[in-house]
Amino acid sequence: TTVPGWTPSVSLEVKDSVETGEEEESELYSQRAKLYRFRDHEWKERGLGEAKLLQHNVSGKVRFMLRQERTMKIVANHWVVNISPYCNLQPNAGSQKCWTWMAPDCAEDEIVVETFALKFGALETAAKFKDEFTKAKELNSKCEGLAELVEAHAELEEIGITFSPQKEAGNTATRELTLSPSGGKEAS
């Protein structure tokens, strides 16, 4: 539609496809579930969506990711590691339909150790998730460098150094990590 004598200040292009960051990964597992995060001494809902285990086609590393159904916002994104206390599935309040675990998550602006709970609609789907999550931990324990990365992150966090993603203009799928001391200044 055009209006005579008026030109838009911004023109939008329609893209044929949208890059999600999952193009170089294979889906090992996907199931609809509701994700919660433990913050401020209570469980807070993060979103309902497809809980996925994605394996990188080149490196073989497996990550857990969940996007909200309606907004497609990533609300959980972390490697599935076999390093205690991370990624140790426990039933939430004795329920076999809800699993809890801790992980260094990078769904938001910086890597933060989060406690998650993932609730399923049926016992069978929850049991299948546990099996696939355990397989993913075993796969990642064979990947070079991943265990060392997580251990180094935990050690740096103990002395007050956190990680922040460096966003590239126009590309939010690719992120590089830069060290920043707890004082908020980035290290050069």
Side-chain angles (χ1 to χ4, degrees):
T1 309
T2 60
V3 177
W6 178 80
T7 56
S9 58
V10 176
S11 62
L12 302 176
E13 296 177 32
V14 177
K15 292 187 175 186
D16 294 331
S17 63
V18 176
E19 290 185 25
T20 62
E22 301 172 38
E23 291 76 22
E24 296 178 8
E25 296 173 309
S26 301
E27 189 175 282
L28 300 179
Y29 173 85
S30 180
Q31 176 63 48
R32 189 169 188 254
K34 189 176 283 188
L35 184 75
Y36 297 87
R37 175 176 66 183
F38 196 75
R39 280 269 174 97
D40 304 323
H41 307 292
E42 66 180 347
W43 289 105
K44 297 183 179 184
E45 185 177 328
R46 291 290 288 151
L48 177 68
E50 291 293 317
K52 295 180 181 182
L53 293 171
L54 303 168
Q55 184 175 30
H56 194 272
N57 296 333
V58 177
S59 69
K61 295 176 183 173
V62 181
R63 68 180 172 131
F64 172 82
M65 187 183 72
L66 190 135
R67 291 179 189 270
Q68 289 178 343
E69 274 183 354
R70 294 185 182 189
T71 64
M72 298 304 287
K73 177 184 176 188
I74 297 174
V75 292
N77 183 23
H78 64 80
W79 298 115
V80 182
V81 294
N82 199 8
I83 300 168
S84 185
Y86 303 129
C87 298
N88 184 18
L89 291 182
Q90 299 291 323
N92 186 36
S95 171
Q96 296 298 315
K97 289 174 32 174
C98 186
W99 296 106
T100 64
W101 71 96
M102 285 178 28
D105 187 65
C106 58
E108 295 184 357
D109 287 341
E110 58 185 38
I111 296 177
V112 179
V113 175
E114 299 280 10
T115 302
F116 293 111
L118 192 63
K119 187 175 180 181
F120 296 90
L123 288 173
E124 298 80 23
T125 54
K128 176 74 172 162
F129 173 76
K130 182 179 182 187
D131 293 342
E132 295 299 322
F133 198 84
T134 302
K135 287 179 192 174
K137 283 171 46 170
E138 292 168 9
L139 285 171
N140 276 346
S141 64
K142 298 173 188 172
C143 290
E144 230 175 276
L146 187 58
E148 293 83 5
L149 177 70
V150 174
E151 287 174 356
H153 173 265
E155 289 173 10
L156 290 171
E157 197 172 61
E158 285 178 18
I159 60 171
I161 298 175
T162 60
F163 290 88
S164 298
Q166 181 180 19
K167 295 183 181 180
E168 298 175 21
N171 185 1
T172 57
T174 305
R175 295 183 177 184
E176 295 178 18
L177 297 177
T178 57
L179 290 176
S180 62
S182 57
K185 296 179 182 175
E186 292 189 7
S188 48

